[in-house]
Amino acid sequence: MPTALSYPQKALHKLGLVRDIDLALHLPLRYEDETRISRLCEAGEGQVVQIEATVTDVQVTLRPRRQLLVTVDDGSDTCVLRFFSFYPSQQKALAVGSSLRLRGEVKGGLMGWTMMHPSFQSAGGDLPSALTPVYPTVAGLPQSYLRRAVLSGLARADLSDTLPSPAGPVSLWSLRQALSFLHQPAPDVALAALEDRSHPAWQRLKAEELLAQQLSQWQARRGRDAMQAPALSGQSAVAGEPGLAQRLLSVLPFALTAAQTRVCAEIAQDLARPVPMHRLLQGDVGSGKTVVAALAAALCIDSGWQCALMAPTEILAEQHFAKLVGWLEPLGIRTAWLTGSQKTKERRAMLALIASGEAALVVGTHAVIQEKVQFKNLALAIIDEQHRFGVAQRLALRNKMNVPVEPSPGGGGDGEGASVNHTQDGVGAKPQPHLLMMTATPIPRTLAMSYYADLEVSTLDELPPGRTPIVTKLVHDQRRDQVIERIRGQIAEGRQVYWVCPLIEESETLDLANATQTHADLSAALHASNAPVMVGLLHSRMPVAEKKAVMALFKEGLMQVLVSTTVIEVGVDVPNASLMVVEHAERFGLSQLHQLRGRVGRGAAASACVLLYSTGDAPRLSQTARERLRAMAESSDGFEIARRDLEIRGPGEFLGARQSGAPLLRFADLATDTPLLEWARALAPKMLDDYPELAQRHIERWLGGKAEYLKA
Ligand code: ADP
Ligand code: MG
């Protein structure tokens, strides 16, 4: 029977400090110098000092509140210690005449030095010979306990080297050396080198961490390469006839851009292999990802298999559905539609179409991955706006494949002989569908190299012709009237306008209140002019049917202005919209602003985006806020903006730790440690080939059970 955990032990577990190695890798945030005793007469205001002094006076006062006041003298000056909470035992230790070693922050005042709640012990005793580490901790886990736990973890942990030699840039320090040093640095160390993590001990740790991350990515990639998937070469059932993709191309009202053609070829090549595709299609808003998805679907369907397309919201899913049905149904392809808000009867009919294979294409929201949905033979899963789905959802979609990889005669892919054997190592395991993920939030190169090393990336780096560039303006909230004037102008020209209301962190109710108010204000202001103007309101709390009705009015051009909370669903396509106003733009992430801005400029009309900002009570925006908004105004390139966003917010926020499931780097910094990243990237595949056991030990040491996440 396992022994019950003590309170601090539970706290250790909460920090993820379970194994000895976890403790050894729990590194200090900063250090305190307790190696020497200072004199009060040399102390400076606000300085943290360690002194040895004798108690000369003790008082307990009751006003203004109960406190213990202890006066001490170190021979150079005196200092008053204040304690607001104290136990009898402490009071005893602080009696007149006691000689103490004290540590705390000294503050000056008219009455001389004071220290609030200093730590103390009796004077004398050995001084530590190393700097005292201060660790990241949680409530209920005192530094002293944590320190002891870390040091004993460090002593017990297996720190034998896992790097094959020669190990390149990090051959100087061993892991053991580096860790011993970082937990107990000598007092004469250059603190600056520790703090900016340029010290060789830090270099070693960062290199190790990056290597672990690269190894697990490469391992996931190889695991996938060992799996099977149906080879989708898109051969039409009838020899000599043009394939479905060909026929789709010939009915499209436009020609593909060069980028679309290239990307389609990349995808087709992957699909034709009997190994699951794991590809990300990234392309700026409006770059035309949907048609690429449709062509991939056509290849899949033409090979006799089913394709599923999942989008994060109902409006977006419906838009895809409408578009795909419009393109594919005339070519004889049946498409099913799945959503959470569907009536039971309709859903049942759809489920039947999907299970029988009659529907070759399935479009929908999260409803697509529900348990009840049984595909006959799913071979390609497409996920739009993939960053809005979690790891679990991506895995669920992939697990929808439930037939063995058999050639499907006559393009009919029958699910006969479902003898699927599950094994651990991928070989002969359950076949996987191909996965195509799409995003308009491009991944900066350093992230692509690290977190997504296990992903093939296709990029649409060109917009379809005929787009007019969007002019972005920063306007102070006080000049709202001018913006409304501008809206009138657009409406007079027959154009449409989006007005996006701010995201108020963690309060949907406030978001809503704000949007409702803006809607009322705008309606009033615009009605004042004579022509009838319809101003609509769209927010996430509205019933789906109502949302759809509003969207439909806007799409058909009957509604001129659409006021919306942040969810103007990513991907909404209304080419007649030519002006986008974003209120409180300073509260949005750059990539999000860029996405929003991409809702306009989809037609031939000159389009603009007005970023309304407010400084609140402050006289002006903060430096970063200004820089960010300026970046938006200056650049219309999603990649450039994503790069700046990464710079400003760091990868943690960029990825959204929860969504990506990727363990974030604790020590290495992608922006500054690129050379180490390059090194790890080059070493990882070689290490898997030549030193597989070392590689396993290294992954285990650094990622423990977390490596699983990376496979999604
Ligand atoms: P996104 O990449 O943001 O999802 P969409 O797929 O919605 O972009 O495409 C944006 C618009 O551009 C759509 O109206 C689409 O039909 C159109 N489009 C896509 N490809 C082309 C092209 N090669 N030429 C002209 N218009 C295109
Ligand atoms: Mg899209």
Side-chain angles (χ1 to χ4, degrees), residues 254-257 260 284-291 323 464-465 467 573 602:
F254 49 76
L256 295 187
T257 63
Q260 283 169 322
D284 217 339
V285 262
S287 58
K289 294 184 287 295
T290 318
V291 69
K323 206 158 230 175
R467 301 277 165 86
D573 192 18
R602 304 200 141 210

Side-chain angles (χ1 to χ4, degrees), residues 512-541:
L512 186 53
N514 192 299
T516 314
Q517 185 59 47
T518 304
H519 175 248
D521 292 350
L522 272 181
S523 305
L526 294 170
H527 276 138
S529 54
N530 294 335
V533 172
M534 197 196 291
V535 182
L537 175 63
L538 191 69
H539 60 79
S540 51
R541 291 269 190 85

Side-chain angles (χ1 to χ4, degrees), residues 285-286 288-290 316 319-320 384-385 438 440 570-572 599 602:
V285 262
K289 294 184 287 295
T290 318
L316 193 49
Q319 194 172 296
H320 283 319
D384 196 18
E385 306 298 343
M438 306 199 289
V570 201
V572 164
R599 299 305 113 218
R602 304 200 141 210

Side-chain angles (χ1 to χ4, degrees), residues 346-401:
E346 187 192 356
R347 157 167 317 213
R348 229 179 261 141
M350 290 298 169
L351 289 178
L353 283 180
I354 297 166
S356 70
E358 227 174 299
L361 178 63
V362 181
V363 179
T365 58
H366 295 79
V368 172
I369 51 175
Q370 269 154 18
E371 227 170 290
K372 291 213 188 80
V373 185
Q374 288 286 336
F375 288 86
K376 183 179 182 216
N377 60 354
L378 179 67
L380 171 62
I382 304 177
I383 303 182
D384 196 18
E385 306 298 343
Q386 67 97 23
H387 58 281
R388 295 186 52 181
F389 289 99
V391 178
Q393 293 163 325
R394 272 177 263 164
L395 283 174
L397 186 52
R398 208 186 281 164
N399 287 334
K400 283 291 172 194
M401 177 134 185

Side-chain angles (χ1 to χ4, degrees), residues 159-242:
L159 299 177
S160 56
D161 223 302
T162 44
L163 299 193
S165 54
V170 286
S171 53
L172 283 177
W173 285 60
S174 73
L175 180 62
R176 180 182 300 283
Q177 259 180 317
L179 284 175
S180 306
F181 177 83
L182 288 173
H183 286 297
Q184 296 174 295
D188 58 353
V189 69
L191 272 175
L194 283 185
E195 260 147 38
D196 71 10
R197 301 189 170 183
S198 62
H199 192 279
W202 270 117
Q203 292 291 311
R204 168 73 192 214
L205 277 155
K206 295 198 278 194
E208 288 238 340
E209 179 180 44
L210 287 167
L211 180 62
Q213 198 249 352
Q214 289 295 309
L215 282 171
S216 74
Q217 292 275 331
W218 278 95
Q219 201 175 38
R221 164 177 295 227
R222 291 182 174 191
R224 195 179 341 272
D225 282 347
M227 288 180 195
Q228 286 179 285
L232 309 172
S233 53
Q235 292 304 316
S236 170
V238 185
E241 294 255 306

